[in-house]
Amino acid sequence: MGDLRGRLGDAVAALGLPRILIFAFLVLTWLVAALATDLPLPGLLRDSIVRTGQNGVLVLALVPMVRAGSGLNFGLPLGIVCGLAGCVLAMERGLAGAPMLAVATLVSLPCAALAGLGYALLLERVRGQEMMVGIYVGFGAVALASVAWLVAPVTSPDLIWPVGGRGVRYLVAVDSAFAVSISVWRPAGIAALVAVWLGACALVALFSRTLAGASLDAAGQNERLALAAGIPVRRLRRLGVILSTVLAAFGIVIFTHGQGLLPLYKAPLLMALPAVAALLLGGATIARASVWNAVVGTFLFQALLASGLPVVNALVHQSAQSAALKDFPEVARLIVANGIILYALTRKG
Amino acid sequence: MSSGGEEGGGLVLEMKGISKAYYGNRVLDGVDLSLGRGEIVALVGENGAGKSTLMNILFGMPAIRDTGGHEGEIRVGGRPVRIDSPRRALDLGIGMVHQEFMLLRTFTAAENVKLNREPLRPSLLSRALGAAGLGAGGAALATVDRAALREQARGALDRVGLSSLDELARVAGLPVAHQQLIEIAREVDKTGTKVLVLDEPTAVLAEGEARELLDVLRRLAGEGIGILFISHRLEEVLAVADRVVVLRDGQVVESKPARETSVEEVAERMVGRRIEMGERLGRPLAELRTTAPAPDAGDVHLSLRDLAVDMPGETLRGIDLDVRRGEVLGLAGLAGGGKVALANGLLGLHPGRAREATLWGRPLPLGSAAGCLARGIAFVSEDRRGTGLLLDASIARNITVAAMRARRRFLRLAALGPLALVDGAAERAWAREMIGRFDIRCTGPDQPVRRLSGGNQQKVCLARAFTLEPELLLVNEPTRGIDVGAKRTVLESIVERNRRDGTTIVMASSELAELRLVCDRIAVLADGRLAGVLAPDAPDLHFGLLMAGKPCPAQAAA
Amino acid sequence: MTEAAERLRQNLVPLLFAAVCAAGIAASEKSGAFYANEVIARTARNALIVLSLVIPIVAGLGLNFGIVIGAMAGQIGVVLVENQVGLGPGGAPEGGIQGLPGLALAAAISVPTASVAGWLVGLTLDRARGREMIAGMVLGFFANGLYQLLFLLLAGPVIPIRNPRLLLPQGTGLRNTVDLIGIKESLDSLAKLRVPLAEGGFPLLVIPVATFLVVLLFAAALAWFQRTKLGHDLRAVGQDLHVAEILGIDVRRKRITAMILSTVLGALGQVVFLHNIGTLNTYQSHEQVGFYAIAALLVGGATVERATIGQALLGTVLFHTLVTVVAVVGQELLPDRPQVGEYLRELLAYAIIGITLAIHAWKKAREARRSS
């Protein structure tokens, strides 16, 4: 009996009290949904899983840089923009579904690697202020990309701006490789999405177990020790940034196939902070993160938003409010995501 | 020597029976120190002897309060006081000039002298707020009286001999000596300063500047201020102090008027023979040493010519040294002498350069840790928690992390190079062996190293070095801050490694007694230079002289 | 370096921007008077909020990305005043407190609001020592979310806003755009100077003298403030926090005070800004304020660690000149894409701030390497 309690205590400590509490809150939300509203519970659960799968790799992308000691990658939009470029190129060729996913990935990965290298070289010179500079790299990348989307010489009718003959329009629909139309999912599709996400997670976890990964971890945990042990710290930190950018590119390709839309123009900016919040929610800090943090955090964050908001909507029940509440999910996301990040920033160390 | 003393009657400062322990480690033990009006007392002692802790207690530093306070009594002007914050120390008239200057670089000299004590002129707003009852807040809106500030600062600066300095000059561009005098000016400008404490005031000054500073101190003492200063420049100490207090291992071992002692005597008292230590460590250690033949001047393993290392506080200014194959060479010296800089410079943790550096006769490029590791050199840092450990990683990982890269051990599919997988089972198995060999008290190879005691952490660092199977082991301060049992294990392991595997050892340590127990030869470094090499059984006096930077009659070959 | 060379180096940035502006204006087809009027108008309405950024820099808190919170406080004041003003016949304002008194009331309401908000911002930033700028940015986003919640969900049922001009038809939530008929142009029109530049009365140079006087008043107050004990202490804290603390200055209180002052000035600046523009984009007016104001300050030659009143004023003029030039150029190059001007303006601001931050971070990294 004592051993069971000890084991339980260890499990709780390993997961962390905050996460247990949030999970409990989530379960409570589902109970309320099932019992007190006429929202379909299977639908809420399905939405939670789908959103987790489509956002998962973006959150995962943050892990390598934290482990390498470069902090939270607020410059995620750089990799995102590379991924979007790949998608646009693939769609311009007329591709859709799985082929589009494959080609977009193949095109954007090298592009992201190169961009990541440039980003890494910049971050090297600004050691200690990576997060701040990262935010601006993200802004800059999005701004440049926006101008690029505006003037891009695309011809595909799926992409082109209705007026003027060039440029990519704001809302571009994507034919998902996971066999879905915007609101209809098949179990096989969901399973495939989740499998891709978890596969990426497994790869990143495996990397930690390689010599390079172990060295990268050491470099991030204690730079001086790593130097004294002959570990090439700067090279590994660069690798961390490149990995992060490449994963972000892949992550956005997956995302578009989950969401069914290309998040062009300003949209990538709205994706970086929630990803960071999700990772922090999963138990990571500015100095330490694991694949497990990314997995747990993505699920909790997305499930919270996917389940919690409709439930709150339904409970607050006045039809006069419903038009105004259309924007509530976005606002709530803003508040929750930024609140989490703020908490992490104001903690010691 | 100043003419001050206990004239004017009464002691301005008395510290009686001061004791302090950090987490069970006793750092100060029943220290008595007194300071009379206008008296200059110098406090000397090795690093770790307790000087800084004593000063922190006197100045009410939070680090003391947060770790359980201290025992003993402090009296200022005859009245017992409790100093629990720097503010309180200031209010009692105790001024402190720290080693790192507390100056605002873009402010002028005058502004720095009067910082947070600026003369004010009430403004309309401050008067209005004052009338409304918001006096404290209102004062913040009074304007700074720039003319008065200049005038008052001018007076303080003149007192410390800076009459030629433009008080409106920005501190940033001023020479270090002037910056220090501005600090002192700030302290003496405060009315009611009775005691002035200076921590290594001449450490950053050239000889001429140091002399000027000592003149200033004499003048201030003449005005009635009691001066307490810490220094390891023994010549200066005897030149200016009225009395010298020697601290060793947290206790006062000497308190004499300066004119009744000499540099040699003070150096000897600082170093001293600690017979009890040798006995407590036990006979087996001593036996280990005497049962093996001492290496003669045979093969040279590592040869250095004119090695200079830029390590703040421990600069090496050019030393020549030959390390013989299979010997245990000790590096001794006072803090700041540079003994820990040698290894740091070789591995590139601090920039170093040499006219010549060879390993087994072939050139050794300085500054590349990977290069050193590849050529059979291993290093244990003096900075255990900073450079020595991955605090949140497991014991196993800490032990294997260097050898993984340098010796390609603990890997599966090693052909994949950087993508080779770490063999967790092999890691843990090896760690268990090391845990047994070093007697590391822990719950297992997976325990995060942060939880271990200092002694066990040090064993982990040593284990990591041994895992590299080095030909040359550089170890800095192997027994600093660890308990006696761990000290013994650490020293025994090092000696055993040397005797059994023939590993050459270069060991830098502040514990001279330990060096004398285990080393074949001991090189003494003072002020960044090699003062001399002694046999371990050379007389204390010789060690004392060399450490103080004075020549010594007989020496072993370098 | 010689005195002159040092002076040149410090003022390099504004000189560079001035040169670019001059080139742009010369190359453009629009008249000098057009540019002059644009610059005068933009400077008048933006200068105050740029001024509000000086204190945090002096106090060592870096670029105040949280100034958006001050802007929101100002908007709350404006909304409450406009709430009193109804729409009369022919579109004229009717009832409530209008015109200059209305403006003064809006300002008066926003001061305590901004003080409380500034206090909270100060508390938060002090806990994020070393990361003040990024914490300020995230705090701004967070507060923006709260603000939207406030005006989207609570305006109407909870917060007593009843005016149909402001409220959405369903009774909850503020409209996206509100015409500020109550306070519009009230300060500007108080003493508008019209200067004919050529025969026949055209082109006309329009100068809102009263507004400029208000700006100069605040600038003078700021200059006086820097000579007080509080201002002196803030500068000490900004120079070296550790040293200031050891020497007995209550660094936490000073930093919080700095944020309160900045936020209040920011609120007043936003009130002036809105009254000139005449329209409130309820959910967006404040968002870009921070970036543009910071960019303007940097163009004037300020850095993350040093800023003066002169740089704030100069930077406002130069930045908004450049923005005008860029917008015109964008329009001329891509006439079918009116959004290009907006994107280019943003890109410009991001580039200015981004490069400044990169340089600042590079310097800090270099210092850290030297001292380790």
Side-chain angles (χ1 to χ4, degrees):
Chain A
M1 193 59 201
D3 185 48
L4 187 62
R5 278 187 65 213
R7 292 255 209 88
L8 206 64
D10 281 343
V12 168
L15 206 57
L17 194 58
R19 274 147 288 296
I20 305 231
L21 285 176
I22 296 176
F23 188 68
F25 179 71
L26 201 58
V27 171
L28 185 70
T29 310
W30 288 331
L31 282 174
V32 168
L35 301 174
T37 71
D38 31 88
L39 290 168
L41 190 60
L44 287 182
L45 291 172
R46 188 198 58 217
D47 277 344
S48 304
I49 296 180
V50 166
R51 294 179 73 130
T52 302
Q54 80 192 27
N55 284 286
V57 180
L58 281 172
V59 180
L60 184 69
L62 298 166
V63 173
M65 264 181 75
V66 175
R67 290 185 84 88
S70 302
L72 297 164
N73 184 12
F74 283 105
L76 212 58
L78 180 68
I80 293 179
V81 153
C82 291
L84 288 174
C87 290
V88 166
L89 269 154
M91 287 182 74
E92 171 68 4
R93 287 288 181 197
L95 297 172
M100 182 268 198
L101 195 153
V103 170
T105 305
L106 277 167
V107 168
S108 54
L109 255 43
C111 165
L114 209 61
L117 181 61
Y119 182 29
L121 292 174
L122 172 63
L123 287 186
E124 229 169 64
R125 306 225 177 328
V126 296
R127 181 108 183 94
Q129 300 272 310
E130 287 95 338
M131 294 197 285
M132 196 69 218
V133 173
I135 287 200
Y136 272 86
V137 168
F139 284 156
V142 167
L144 268 173
S146 298
V147 173
W149 306 142
L150 271 180
V151 303
V154 289
T155 55
S156 162
D158 294 322
L159 292 170
I160 202 167
W161 203 285
V163 172
R166 71 179 160 169
V168 185
R169 59 173 182 256
Y170 270 122
L171 288 174
V172 176
V174 171
D175 260 337
S176 173
F178 300 110
V180 72
S181 70
I182 292 244
S183 48
V184 174
W185 281 86
R186 290 212 299 267
I190 300 179
L193 178 63
V194 171
V196 169
W197 164 52
L198 290 177
C201 293
L203 274 176
V204 175
L206 191 65
F207 175 72
S208 266
R209 292 203 213 288
T210 63
L211 178 62
S215 305
L216 185 140
D217 289 350
Q221 286 175 39
N222 188 337
E223 185 177 339
R224 293 192 71 78
L225 179 144
L227 281 171
I231 293 176
V233 169
R234 280 169 60 166
R235 205 168 58 197
L236 285 171
R237 258 200 234 119
R238 263 180 248 153
L239 180 64
V241 176
I242 293 176
L243 281 178
S244 195
T245 310
V246 164
L247 278 169
F250 181 57
I252 201 68
V253 173
I254 300 296
F255 176 84
T256 58
H257 282 266
Q259 186 83 339
L261 276 179
L262 281 187
L264 294 169
Y265 295 97
K266 292 271 206 72
L269 289 178
L270 297 172
M271 313 204 63
L273 289 186
V276 171
L279 184 68
L280 293 171
L281 193 63
T285 67
I286 292 179
R288 287 170 43 214
S290 68
V291 170
W292 183 240
N293 293 143
V295 169
V296 169
T298 312
F299 175 68
L300 285 179
F301 189 77
Q302 295 298 337
L304 212 57
L305 290 177
S307 318
L309 293 178
V311 168
V312 166
N313 260 349
L315 286 179
V316 178
H317 226 337
Q318 292 157 27
S319 56
Q321 307 261 28
S322 56
L325 284 179
K326 172 175 60 72
D327 289 318
F328 183 56
E330 277 314 307
V331 175
R333 211 159 69 115
L334 247 181
I335 297 179
V336 170
N338 283 295
I340 293 173
I341 299 175
L342 203 59
Y343 174 67
L345 286 174
T346 50
R347 277 175 69 183
K348 264 182 261 219
Chain B
M1 223 167 293
S2 90
S3 59
E6 285 170 36
E7 325 154 326
L11 298 168
V12 277
L13 178 68
E14 266 180 283
M15 298 177 89
K16 286 162 93 157
I18 305 288
S19 299
K20 167 82 188 145
Y22 280 115
Y23 306 113
N25 224 351
R26 188 147 281 267
V27 171
L28 286 176
D29 194 3
V31 169
D32 291 336
L33 185 67
S34 60
L35 186 65
R37 212 175 155 271
E39 189 184 10
I40 301 182
V41 168
L43 187 61
V44 301
E46 245 291 30
N47 220 37
K51 311 189 296 288
S52 311
T53 308
L54 192 64
M55 292 303 103
N56 284 343
I57 290 176
L58 181 60
F59 212 56
M61 288 306 205
I64 302 292
R65 207 180 48 229
D66 296 339
T67 52
H70 67 90
E71 291 147 38
E73 184 185 58
I74 303 181
R75 286 169 183 261
V76 173
R79 278 176 26 252
V81 295
R82 279 218 68 77
I83 307 180
D84 46 15
S85 70
R87 180 94 239 173
R88 185 90 186 95
L90 287 171
D91 290 339
L92 288 170
I94 302 172
M96 177 127 173
V97 175
H98 307 254
Q99 253 190 316
E100 333 123 22
F101 299 154
M102 296 286 155
L103 294 173
L104 296 175
R105 297 169 46 82
T106 58
F107 280 41
T108 65
E111 286 170 334
N112 268 288
V113 168
K114 302 294 296 185
L115 200 62
N116 208 23
R117 293 172 305 112
E118 298 90 358
L120 302 174
R121 233 199 338 232
S123 65
L124 229 70
L125 254 135
S126 70
R127 266 193 273 251
L129 285 171
L134 291 163
L141 290 179
T143 49
V144 172
D145 187 344
R146 304 208 79 89
L149 187 140
R150 261 186 88 169
E151 215 182 290
Q152 293 175 16
R154 180 80 265 156
L157 290 169
D158 287 342
R159 260 174 92 188
V160 296
L162 281 176
S163 19
S164 58
L165 177 72
D166 177 12
E167 69 269 16
L168 293 181
R170 296 229 160 144
V171 159
L174 297 177
V176 162
H178 287 190
Q179 289 188 15
Q180 183 159 64
L181 288 171
I182 293 174
E183 278 248 22
I184 297 177
R186 183 172 62 217
E187 296 306 312
V188 301
D189 182 61
K190 299 178 187 164
T191 49
T193 298
K194 303 191 191 73
V195 175
L196 188 62
V197 179
L198 300 114
D199 190 355
E200 298 282 2
T202 55
V204 293
L205 301 179
E207 257 192 61
E209 295 167 338
R211 268 200 304 265
E212 280 173 24
L213 176 69
L214 298 178
D215 283 339
V216 171
L217 291 181
R218 272 192 219 107
R219 264 214 310 276
L220 292 174
E223 293 176 14
I225 299 179
I227 297 187
L228 179 62
F229 83 102
I230 300 173
S231 178
H232 66 264
R233 301 232 195 144
L234 301 179
E235 300 268 15
E236 291 169 3
V237 161
L238 290 180
V240 74
D242 295 313
R243 196 145 46 84
V244 178
V245 173
V246 182
L247 215 55
R248 194 178 75 210
D249 280 336
Q251 295 176 326
V252 174
V253 295
E254 186 83 274
S255 177
K256 256 177 158 180
R259 61 175 172 274
E260 289 175 20
T261 184
S262 66
V263 171
E264 292 85 350
E265 192 182 342
V266 174
E268 193 179 338
R269 298 303 269 139
M270 279 172 66
V271 169
R273 183 195 299 270
R274 282 168 281 196
I275 304 176
E276 342 80 57
M277 176 61 74
E279 283 173 355
R280 269 198 291 175
L281 279 177
R283 288 172 40 85
L285 192 60
E287 269 171 8
L288 258 179
R289 237 189 56 71
T290 54
T291 50
D296 52 18
D299 293 330
V300 168
H301 192 158
L302 171 71
S303 173
L304 300 167
R305 295 285 176 272
D306 205 16
L307 172 71
V309 177
D310 182 10
M311 183 171 169
E314 294 275 344
T315 313
L316 268 186
R317 296 176 216 282
I319 65 169
D320 294 348
L321 197 61
D322 282 332
V323 182
R324 301 172 189 163
R325 174 227 292 260
E327 77 166 329
V328 179
L329 175 68
L331 297 180
L334 298 178
K339 57 188 185 293
V340 294
L342 189 146
N344 277 287
L346 278 184
L347 266 91
L349 289 167
H350 288 276
R353 61 181 188 288
R355 191 166 31 105
E356 198 185 294
T358 60
L359 194 70
W360 294 130
R362 280 172 25 247
L364 175 73
L366 291 187
S368 162
C372 287
L373 263 57
R375 290 185 59 181
I377 302 178
F379 170 53
V380 177
S381 170
E382 72 284 358
D383 180 14
R384 188 160 57 231
R385 286 177 80 87
T387 310
L389 294 168
L390 296 170
L391 287 170
D392 295 308
S394 66
I395 295 176
R397 179 53 57 89
N398 269 277
I399 292 180
T400 60
V401 67
M404 227 186 265
R405 280 196 90 86
R407 301 274 176 270
R408 299 266 172 230
R409 289 175 69 176
F410 315 107
L411 297 173
R412 274 200 293 242
L413 305 174
L416 290 177
L419 289 180
L421 287 174
V422 172
D423 187 346
E427 255 193 314
R428 279 194 289 279
W430 176 255
R432 268 186 227 109
E433 196 181 315
M434 289 280 119
I435 288 172
R437 207 191 298 181
F438 284 91
D439 188 28
I440 302 177
R441 308 289 167 82
C442 63
T443 62
D446 291 320
Q447 186 179 21
V449 136
R450 188 188 283 277
R451 308 262 179 77
L452 300 179
S453 73
N456 288 309
Q457 286 177 342
Q458 187 70 334
K459 293 175 191 170
V460 170
C461 293
L462 212 58
R464 177 167 67 237
F466 281 22
T467 306
L468 287 163
E469 308 205 321
E471 291 178 337
L472 172 63
L473 176 63
L474 307 170
V475 54
N476 282 352
E477 303 286 7
T479 59
R480 176 188 280 170
I482 65 181
D483 58 279
V484 176
K487 281 190 207 239
R488 179 189 165 148
T489 312
V490 163
L491 290 174
E492 275 177 2
S493 313
I494 294 176
V495 170
E496 198 190 322
R497 177 118 213 148
N498 168 261
R499 296 312 181 207
R500 213 188 45 185
D501 304 302
T503 309
T504 309
I505 316 262
V506 176
M507 187 159 89
S509 174
S510 306
E511 308 278 352
L512 189 58
E514 287 171 12
L515 286 177
R516 292 166 91 176
L517 267 176
V518 305
C519 294
D520 297 314
R521 298 187 300 152
I522 301 178
V524 179
L525 286 104
D527 270 325
R529 293 190 206 284
L530 182 64
V533 180
L534 295 172
D537 47 15
D540 288 352
L541 176 63
H542 291 188
F543 280 103
L545 285 173
L546 287 183
M547 280 177 161
K550 311 207 87 179
C552 154
Q555 285 185 49
Chain C
M1 226 187 266
T2 64
E3 269 272 349
E6 181 62 34
R7 201 94 56 82
L8 189 68
R9 190 180 74 93
Q10 276 187 6
N11 292 316
L12 195 62
V13 170
L15 282 174
L16 212 67
F17 276 95
V20 171
C21 285
I25 294 176
S28 154
E29 287 170 1
K30 299 252 172 159
S31 68
F34 163 78
Y35 281 105
N37 275 322
E38 277 288 301
V39 170
I40 289 174
R42 285 177 188 260
T43 303
R45 68 170 175 249
N46 282 292
L48 197 51
I49 206 162
V50 177
L51 272 179
S52 75
L53 298 170
V54 172
I55 296 184
I57 291 181
V58 169
L61 292 157
L63 303 172
N64 184 12
F65 287 101
I67 195 67
V68 64
I69 295 173
M72 288 190 262
Q75 279 174 201
I76 290 176
V78 167
V79 161
L80 288 178
V81 164
E82 285 288 327
N83 184 36
Q84 313 268 348
V85 175
L87 195 59
E94 144 183 291
I97 306 177
Q98 306 169 26
L100 206 54
L103 190 68
L105 184 61
I109 295 176
S110 56
V111 168
T113 319
S115 301
V116 171
W119 177 63
L120 290 171
V121 173
L123 278 178
T124 311
L125 291 194
D126 190 61
R127 286 191 58 118
R129 282 197 197 172
R131 302 188 195 120
E132 288 91 351
M133 289 198 282
I134 204 174
M137 203 184 275
V138 175
L139 185 59
F141 295 150
F142 178 72
N144 189 17
L146 287 178
Y147 170 92
Q148 301 211 8
L149 196 69
L150 204 73
F151 282 145
L152 202 54
L153 290 182
L154 302 180
V158 177
I159 301 179
I161 308 242
R162 305 269 179 255
N163 195 322
R165 276 197 310 126
L166 275 58
L167 222 50
L168 285 169
Q170 53 260 45
T172 307
L174 283 187
R175 291 174 184 269
N176 276 341
T177 39
V178 175
D179 205 4
L180 303 176
I181 54 177
I183 59 170
K184 186 157 36 175
E185 298 260 314
S186 43
L187 184 63
D188 282 347
S189 354
L190 189 63
K192 224 168 214 179
L193 199 62
R194 288 181 160 73
V195 178
L197 288 179
E199 294 296 327
F202 266 137
L204 205 62
L205 204 63
V206 180
I207 308 175
V209 173
T211 315
F212 272 114
L213 277 177
V214 168
V215 169
L216 288 174
L217 189 70
F218 273 102
L222 207 57
W224 171 82
F225 173 75
Q226 288 184 331
R227 289 189 302 136
T228 63
K229 168 103 176 97
L230 182 55
H232 192 83
D233 283 353
L234 282 185
R235 195 160 66 98
V237 170
Q239 160 70 154
D240 192 327
L241 198 126
H242 179 60
V243 169
E245 201 166 24
I246 299 252
L247 290 175
I249 297 181
D250 188 344
V251 298
R252 191 154 169 272
R253 260 182 82 181
K254 302 294 175 193
R255 281 154 60 97
I256 295 178
T257 308
M259 284 319 290
I260 294 178
L261 288 171
S262 179
T263 310
V264 167
L265 265 177
L268 295 174
Q270 184 71 345
V271 170
V272 168
F273 175 82
L274 287 173
H275 110 286
N276 172 281
I277 294 245
T279 319
L280 171 68
N281 276 330
T282 319
Y283 304 102
Q284 282 171 341
S285 278
H286 54 278
E287 272 182 353
Q288 301 293 14
V289 154
F291 286 126
Y292 292 139
I294 291 174
L297 182 64
L298 295 174
V299 166
T303 65
V304 174
E305 295 172 325
R306 199 166 165 274
T308 67
I309 297 170
Q311 286 169 339
L313 295 173
L314 177 66
T316 313
V317 171
L318 282 177
F319 180 73
H320 287 285
T321 310
L322 190 57
V323 158
T324 315
V325 168
V326 159
V328 165
V329 163
Q331 229 176 355
E332 286 170 7
L333 285 182
L334 290 166
D336 57 335
R337 294 263 178 274
Q339 311 95 321
V340 150
E342 184 65 34
Y343 280 129
L344 285 178
R345 188 157 72 122
E346 270 179 24
L347 188 55
L348 190 68
Y350 288 147
I352 293 171
I353 301 178
I355 292 174
T356 304
L357 286 173
I359 293 177
H360 164 73
W362 179 58
K363 263 196 250 170
K364 271 186 92 164
R366 211 173 41 170
E367 271 162 40
R369 266 200 304 265
R370 280 214 200 111
S371 66
S372 72

